[in-house]
Amino acid sequence: FSSAVEAFLSAEYVVSVAADAPQASQLIFQKQPQLILLDFCLPSMSGLDFLRSAKPRCPEIPFLMLTGESNPE
């Protein structure tokens, strides 16, 4: 799923991809993105938990949460 999104978006945007939450945290502060696409199901924690921890540290960056799951609970 992420590779398809990356391929689609990279035609028009600079795209950085993180494999897990710790790597995503590093990329946010290294790259200072204009938008963060976040999967609901991350390998090391839930996307919702990541959003709760990251958003207060970068309130100016919008987050868009996506999922390939049929029932993200």
Side-chain angles (χ1 to χ4, degrees), residues 6 21 23 45 58 61-63 69:
E6 179 183 6
Q23 186 182 21
M45 68 189 315
C58 52
I61 302 173
F63 284 72
E69 298 290 321

Side-chain angles (χ1 to χ4, degrees), residues 2-57:
S2 68
S3 60
V5 172
E6 179 183 6
F8 177 76
L9 292 175
S10 64
E12 297 288 328
Y13 303 97
V14 175
V15 177
S16 298
V17 177
D20 56 24
Q23 186 182 21
S25 290
Q26 287 181 322
L27 281 174
I28 289 171
F29 295 105
Q30 289 173 353
K31 304 283 185 169
Q32 299 183 345
Q34 294 181 311
L35 173 69
I36 296 171
L37 296 177
L38 178 62
D39 195 329
F40 193 87
C41 299
L42 300 175
S44 54
M45 68 189 315
S46 80
L48 192 55
D49 288 339
F50 181 81
L51 175 63
R52 287 181 183 134
S53 69
K55 189 63 177 170
R57 294 180 285 147

